[in-house]
Structures are given as structure tokens and as C-alpha cells.
């Protein structure tokens, strides 16, 4: 049976930035496979990886095929389910993460695997929940799996540094870290110092000052883990600020970071640099949604744009100065 058409935003090849996003493209509404759900999309959030893929920075892995509809973090209502879907039903409001390989978020409808689709309660808006998948899950994974922070507060006390604490991942990392038994130092620009304090950071450094650039804790602490959400900081800056077995969890490792990672591993160094690659899990997404519902995790939306202005949202993310998350609404 022929599927009806929907509006989507797509690009046809690498490069071109916001201007290369094609608006008002008409494509068939996708059909859910046996373990998939079809959503009417209500909100999408942008992550830097979306435009990095367009730039070709993840070539040849993603995207593998053009034209490509970008966007992975979406919230919406289920309008159709595949025959083997069990835990969600038509009419459920959900949040999910699409694969980077197929994308599909910047559209009126999108298909998602049931395995990463979490139901959202009415207290959590579509826009709020759409900000959670990549940014929230990355912060969660960095803290719980890599930094060993127990979010129920039962763990040993740890000193945590969050760089770029005003950004999408950073604003979640500060708040989640404070659910654990941590002392949080954070870096951000001068205009966001009060904002980052309001998220719970114990001390905040302006990254443009000499102390901020040196990542020096004002209270003289050494960090057990750094959730490194900014870029361009060499190992030689981190090293003197780490505790005896401190770790830098690098979200955007470059060649030099990968060399440091290998060297520290090979020499059994106690201080380590570890690259993080998000492995999204449904139970963690459900946990984050629950925290938002309970008011224990605050979502900060920098700006929101209609799908017809997707190129403005794209440009805003490329600019790199968002406070919190950028949202697009069909
Ligand atoms: N490995 C993974 O699986 C994974 C997952 C998620 C994200 N990431 C990566 O993690 C990075 C952060 O992502 P995001 O979504 O949080 O980015 P984002 O929201 O675009 O970050 C923007 C924020 O970073 C701040 N910032 C920029 N440079 C800074 C610096 N040197 N020191 C302190 N703050 C700085 C900006 O503040 P100002 O405006 O004041 O400059 C702005 O508030 C990106 O490179 C992304 O690709 C990786």
C-alpha cells in the first residue's frame, strides 16, 4: 500500500552547513519494522554530532547514504507499531533516540526501535524530553560507568570537574553529579557563572581567565574525574589537576587525546584519559525522564525553532554558544 507523504528536512551530501539543509521535502511516511514504532514527531533536539556528520567528520561511518534526514533525539506520540512491539502502544507519548546511521528526526513522522523508546509522563513536555537522549545519556554514562559516581549518593566522595558546564551535556553532568556524593567544579563563560551555580556546581571557573584555562580548583581540590565536554585542552593542562588515579573522560577525543589514551594504558598509568562513545540504554533514558518528572533534573532550553527554520537551529548549534539545548518543533 502506498504510504502518504510527509514534510522533512534533508541534505544531499557532505558540507554546505545550514544552507545545504533542504526544507519542505516531501517523502513517504516511514513504515515501522516488526520491532519499531512510528511517531508523530513533537520535538527534536540538536546535538553537535548532527552537524559534525554533515561536515563529514564521521565519514565513512555516518551518514552512509544520501539524501539524509538528520536528527536523532525526538519526542512524539506513537501512531503505529510493528507486530512484535510489546511494551508501548498507539497513543503513548514517548522519547527516543534514532540511530546516527539512518537519522530521520527532522520530519513530521519517524520510526524508532522499541528497545530505546521510553514512555514520558504528562508532567514532562515533548521539548523537555527530546533534550535528554544524547546529552543526558552521555552525562549519565560518563558519571556512572566511567567516573564511578553512584547517583543515589551512596558512593565514596569524589571531586568532579565538568568542562563546558553550560552546554547540552555539561548542564546535565553538573546536576547528575550532584545527585551523587560529589564536589563539583565547573567551567563556563563569564555570562553563565550564575547559571552553572544554580545547577548545583560548588565552584565555577570562567574558562577565559588564567585560573579557568589552567582548570585550577579555587579550593585546591584535585579531580578524581573530569567530564570533559569542551575541546582543545591538552593532557599537560589536565595532568597536574588530577588526583592520584584521576581520569579524564573525553567526549570529543582528537588524535593527540587518542595517543594519550594509548600511552597511559600501555604504561599502566594511574592517571588516565578515556574516550567515551555513547551506548544509549532505555533504562537510563527512563531514569532521566523520571528525574525530570520529579523535578530533580532541570532541562534548560536555549532556544526553539519551528521545523521550517531548521537551518537557524543548525547555525545556532554550529556557533557553539548555546546555554543548554536547542530544540526544533515540527
Ligand atoms: N562521545 C560522545 O558520545 C558524545 C556525546 C555527546 C556529545 N559529545 C561531544 O561533546 C561536546 C559537547 O557537546 P554539547 O552538546 O554539550 O555541546 P554544546 O551544547 O554545543 O556546548 C556549548 C557550550 O559549551 C561552552 N563552551 C565552549 N567552549 C568552552 C570552553 N573551552 N570551556 C568552557 N565552556 C565552553 C559554550 O559556552 P560559551 O558560549 O560561553 O563559549 C556553550 O555554552 C561536543 O563536542 C559533542 O560533539 C560527544
Amino acid at each position: 500500500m502506498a504510504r502518504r507523504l510527509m514534510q522533512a528536512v534533508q541534505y544531499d551530501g557532505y558540507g554546505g552547513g545550514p544552507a545545504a539543509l533542504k526544507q519542505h521535502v516531501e517523502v513517504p511516511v516511514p513504515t515501522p519494522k516488526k520491532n519499531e514504532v512510528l511517531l508523530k514527531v513533537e520535538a527534536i533536539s540538536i546535538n553537535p554530532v548532527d552537524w559534525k556528520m554533515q561536515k563529514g567528520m564521521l565519514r565513512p561511518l555516518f551518514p552512509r547514504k544520501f539524501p539524509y534526514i538528520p536528527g536523532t533525539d525526538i519526542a512524539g506520540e506513537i501512531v503505529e507499531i510493528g507486530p512484535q512491539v510489546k511494551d508501548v502502544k498507539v497513543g503513548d507519548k514517548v522519547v527516543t533516540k534514532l540511530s546516527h546511521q539512518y537519522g530521520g528526526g527532522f520530519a513530521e513522522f519517524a520510526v524508532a526501535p522499541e528497545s530505546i523508546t521510553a514512555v514520558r509522563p504528562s508532567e514532562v513536555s515533548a521539548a523537555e524530553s527530546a533534550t535528554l537522549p544524547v546529552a543526558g545519556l552521555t552525562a549519565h554514562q560518563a558519571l556512572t560507568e566511567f567516573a564511578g559516581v553512584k547517583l543515589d549518593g551512596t558512593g565514596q566522595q569524589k571531586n568532579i570537574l565538568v568542562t563546558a558546564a553550560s552546554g547540552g551535556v555539561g548542564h546535565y553532568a553538573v546536576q547528575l553529579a550532584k545527585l551523587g556524593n560529589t564536589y563539583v567544579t565547573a567551567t563556563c563563560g563569564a555570562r553563565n557563572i550564575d547559571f552553572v551555580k544554580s545547577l548545583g556546581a560548588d565552584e565555577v571557573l570562567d574558562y577565559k581567565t588564567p585560573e579557568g584555562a589552567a582548570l585550577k580548583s579555587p579550593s585546591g581540590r584535585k579531580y578524581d574525574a573530569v567530564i570533559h565536554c569542551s575541546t582543545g585542552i591538552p593532557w599537560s593542562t589536565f595532568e597536574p589537576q588530577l588526583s592520584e588515579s584521576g581520569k579524564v573522560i573525553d567526549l570529543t577525543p582528537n588524535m593527540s587525546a587518542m595517543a594519550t589514551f594509548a600511552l597511559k594504558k600501555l604504561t599502566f598509568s594511574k592517571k588516565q584519559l578515556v574516550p567515551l562513545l555513547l551506548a544509549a540504554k532505555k533504562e537510563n533514558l527512563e531514569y532521566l525522564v523520571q528525574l525530570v518528572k520529579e523535578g530533580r533534573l532541570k532541562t534548560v532550553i536555549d532556544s526553539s525553532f519551528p521545523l521550517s527554520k531548521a537551518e537557524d537551529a543548525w547555525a545556532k548549534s554550529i556557533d557553539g554558544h548555546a546555554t543548554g539545548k536547542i530544540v526544533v518543533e515540527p
Side-chain angles (χ1 to χ4, degrees), residues 138-181:
T138 300
H140 181 276
Q141 186 178 340
L143 286 161
T144 57
E145 278 179 33
F146 289 65
V149 174
K150 294 200 163 125
L151 302 190
D152 60 4
T154 58
Q156 246 186 346
Q157 216 257 337
K158 286 183 193 283
N159 295 327
I160 305 288
L161 170 68
V162 178
T163 63
S166 52
V169 180
H171 91 293
Y172 284 136
V174 169
Q175 296 179 76
L176 291 173
K178 287 309 296 177
L179 296 177
N181 182 13

Side-chain angles (χ1 to χ4, degrees), residues 238-253:
F238 287 119
E239 209 274 336
Q241 307 304 336
L242 295 176
S243 66
E244 202 190 341
S245 46
K247 266 189 204 170
V248 176
I249 298 135
D250 194 345
L251 270 47
T252 320

Side-chain angles (χ1 to χ4, degrees), residues 48 52 138 164 166-169 187 191 207 229 251-252 276 278 320-322:
K52 288 181 184 179
T138 300
S166 52
V169 180
T187 72
R191 70 193 166 90
Y207 74 93
C229 307
L251 270 47
T252 320
L276 177 148
L278 172 63
H321 294 297

